Amino acid sequence: MLKEFSTTIVQTLRQRGFQAYLVGGCVRDLLLGREPKDYDVATNARPDQVMSIFPETYAVGAQFGVVLVPAPSHVSASSSAPSSSRQGDVAINAATKAVEVATFRSDIGYSDGRHPDEVRFSDDPKEDVSRRDFTINGMLLDPLSGEAPGQVLDFVGGRKDLEAGIVRAIGDPERRFGEDKLRMLRAVRFAARFEYTIEPATFAAIKARAHEIGVVSCERVRDELTRMLTEGHARRAFLLLDESGLLEPTLPEISRMKGVMQPPQYHPEGDVFVHTLLLLENLPTPCPMTLAWGALLHDVGKPATFRVAPDRIRFDGHVEVGVKIAEGICRRLRFSNEEAEQILALVDNHMRFGHVSRMKESTLKRFLRMPAFDEHLALHRADCLASHRNLSTYEFIRQKQAEIPEETMRPSPLVTGDDLIAQGHVPGPKFREILTAVEDAQLEGRLASREAALEFVRREFPV
């Protein structure tokens, strides 16, 4: 339905005497037989003209010729998520889906390495696509003519590269990446997602400019890396990041994993970097963002704690060190507090699975009811598959989850703070100790009633 709406926009602009085409990633995806997440329209109509034709608009980047036209409510309701468009590193989130309508333009100067210093609007679609990033994203589509999906206007050889599986910069790659450094990460992401190769001159330009990626905002780097981690080809993406020279300046903590050997009896697959990338390959698709980052960072503390002991290679305290390092990464990349909390929880708890068969019943139940425990379990499964491939603990937990009723996993409290006060206890740290002890006994089946719990408190914690 969003495609139909974007086609209507093209048709309306044409009826007003303007040129208009679908452009960019939606054209690429349609030619690949994929469902585009978003639709973009390119036109020679100026922003004020677009806004006069479509009064319900968001001028998210009028200085760059970009206007968002929101879809009708019935189109938005059929979409899985609200749209998100960015101009000037500011996210524009609408409650509805929207189509981005951009005026044909040429860009002049990129002094900040991200945004044009000046834009000149144009009536020439060829001039517009020549300033875009990659040939596979530089095709125009006329949805009103030809056989479905429509007639393709290809001024940059995008269709040929699409068929050959090549990511190639439009024009001079050095210039393209000099204009916008984020394009280097996008090249890696597209090559990984579609399992394409990066054209040699384009790849050479990335390697030459990889050290300049630092001019890109942390949020934009985070978003590109997140897409790489969650789109299903994370291992290839991170191999390309490493080969291109982009890994060290974006995630030096991951780069340090290379060459850090592990005990072969537990990790026959190789060093920490190899293990981590194999683990990413075993994550579910689509993958929750927090799970993907937790998986990437789960062993980030190993390089700093590596030592060769008399018996084997050891990483004493790597979890605690890893949590601190991961916390710094989350802060640097500006994750939300909620996102960071879950990522750090995944790092902090991933080694606890080795103890589940020896846990007291109360400890096990508390472990299984951790927030987003399915992510913890998915990380454990992927961790095993990327090393010794022994899934016995995973299967043990799955069995326990099936056996333990929800009401015994999270039972209603038998004793409250008011009950403790009534027995003469003074509110303070001791309350937590008493209530925890009562819950332990309850989870282990030793207490089943309020009366028994109150008697337990009187006996074990006399006033």
Side-chain angles (χ1 to χ4, degrees):
M1 297 180 76
L2 194 60
K3 181 188 177 185
E4 293 174 6
F5 177 63
S6 62
T7 301
T8 301
I9 292 175
V10 170
Q11 187 175 39
T12 302
L13 289 166
R14 295 270 186 87
Q15 290 170 346
R16 298 297 182 94
F18 298 107
Q19 301 177 65
Y21 305 94
L22 299 182
V23 68
C26 66
V27 178
R28 176 200 68 221
D29 289 346
L30 288 169
L31 293 177
L32 289 173
R34 296 169 175 248
E35 179 64 34
K37 293 181 180 178
D38 300 292
Y39 284 83
D40 297 332
V41 171
T43 178
N44 65 332
R46 286 8 183 198
D48 59 330
Q49 293 171 317
V50 174
M51 287 187 282
S52 68
I53 296 170
F54 306 100
E56 301 280 336
T57 58
Y58 302 98
V60 296
Q63 74 272 31
F64 300 115
V66 180
V67 173
L68 285 184
V69 181
S73 57
H74 69 278
V75 175
S76 299
S78 69
S79 304
S80 59
S83 65
S84 178
S85 178
R86 290 180 178 269
Q87 290 294 328
D89 283 337
V90 177
I92 307 297
N93 295 304
T96 60
K97 293 293 284 186
V99 174
E100 189 174 282
V101 180
T103 302
F104 298 155
R105 76 181 203 229
S106 60
D107 297 338
I108 302 169
Y110 280 80
S111 58
D112 70 349
R114 274 290 290 125
H115 313 102
D117 299 327
E118 180 185 350
V119 302
R120 290 180 183 169
F121 297 141
S122 169
D123 290 315
D124 185 357
K126 185 175 181 179
E127 184 177 13
D128 182 70
V129 298
S130 68
R131 54 97 189 167
R132 293 177 180 266
D133 54 6
F134 307 110
T135 60
I136 60 173
N137 297 335
M139 293 174 283
L140 299 161
L141 181 71
D142 180 356
L144 304 176
S145 64
E147 297 181 2
Q151 181 183 354
V152 177
L153 281 72
D154 183 7
F155 302 111
V156 294
R159 196 155 199 174
K160 182 179 178 182
D161 284 342
L162 202 63
E163 292 168 355
I166 293 173
V167 175
R168 183 195 310 270
I170 293 174
D172 177 10
E174 282 276 357
R175 180 179 177 183
R176 290 287 85 82
F177 297 132
E179 291 168 343
D180 183 353
K181 312 297 195 265
L182 185 67
R183 288 170 172 167
M184 295 187 286
L185 289 176
R186 284 168 57 82
V188 169
R189 177 163 64 87
F190 290 133
R193 181 206 286 179
F194 299 119
E195 298 183 275
Y196 286 1
T197 58
I198 301 177
E199 182 265 335
T202 301
F203 198 61
I206 295 173
K207 294 174 78 170
R209 289 186 173 272
H211 65 283
E212 300 173 1
I213 195 65
V215 305
V216 181
S217 73
C218 292
E219 293 91 340
R220 296 309 298 270
V221 170
R222 176 201 65 211
D223 291 348
E224 285 297 320
L225 293 173
T226 297
R227 292 186 182 102
M228 294 180 202
L229 284 166
T230 58
E231 289 179 346
H233 299 280
R235 180 170 180 261
R236 174 163 166 74
F238 273 77
L239 287 172
L240 283 172
L241 284 173
D242 184 40
E243 187 180 351
S244 66
L246 287 166
L247 183 61
E248 174 64 32
T250 54
L251 283 172
E253 300 89 349
I254 304 302
S255 186
R256 291 184 197 120
M257 294 178 176
K258 293 185 296 179
V260 178
M261 299 309 299
Q262 304 185 98
Q265 60 268 47
Y266 299 107
H267 289 279
E269 73 282 1
D271 67 27
V272 180
F273 186 68
V274 169
H275 166 70
T276 299
L277 297 200
L278 285 173
L279 189 156
L280 296 179
E281 199 170 47
N282 285 293
L283 292 176
T285 303
C287 182
M289 179 271 286
T290 49
L291 171 57
W293 277 97
L296 179 69
L297 302 178
H298 80 290
D299 277 345
V300 74
K302 280 189 172 180
T305 57
F306 171 86
R307 73 180 180 93
V308 180
D311 55 342
R312 64 176 177 87
I313 293 171
R314 292 191 174 275
F315 301 98
D316 301 327
H318 85 272
V319 170
E320 294 78 12
V321 172
V323 169
K324 291 180 181 178
I325 294 172
E327 185 177 14
I329 293 171
C330 289
R331 191 183 308 115
R332 184 176 78 231
L333 296 181
R334 298 181 183 176
F335 284 97
S336 70
N337 291 339
E338 183 180 359
E339 291 164 346
E341 183 179 359
Q342 176 61 9
I343 292 168
L344 297 180
L346 288 163
V347 176
D348 194 25
N349 288 283
H350 79 276
M351 292 296 289
R352 292 184 65 194
F353 284 86
H355 308 296
V356 293
S357 63
R358 301 186 299 276
M359 286 180 179
K360 295 190 304 181
E361 189 171 2
S362 57
T363 305
L364 177 61
K365 286 178 178 177
R366 283 200 178 91
F367 184 57
L368 297 181
R369 72 188 193 192
M370 277 196 302
F373 183 76
D374 285 350
E375 291 190 15
H376 291 271
L377 188 58
L379 173 55
H380 169 70
R381 180 178 184 276
D383 200 5
C384 294
L385 291 176
S387 52
H388 49 71
R389 305 189 67 83
N390 183 346
L391 293 178
S392 58
T393 297
Y394 172 81
E395 298 297 343
F396 172 81
I397 289 175
R398 294 291 291 167
Q399 181 180 346
K400 287 294 183 181
Q401 287 180 314
E403 291 175 352
I404 302 174
E406 178 66 20
E407 60 271 19
T408 63
M409 184 83 77
R410 293 178 173 83
S412 299
L414 295 175
V415 173
T416 67
D418 289 341
D419 293 323
L420 299 185
I421 292 173
Q423 285 193 1
H425 293 280
V426 178
K430 191 74 173 177
F431 264 40
R432 183 178 182 85
E433 179 188 346
I434 298 172
L435 294 174
T436 298
V438 171
E439 188 186 30
D440 279 349
Q442 186 180 5
L443 290 171
E444 290 164 11
R446 293 185 282 114
L447 293 177
S449 68
R450 169 178 163 79
E451 291 72 20
L454 291 173
E455 177 56 35
F456 172 84
V457 173
R458 281 192 287 268
R459 183 177 66 253
E460 299 295 329
F461 300 93
V463 178

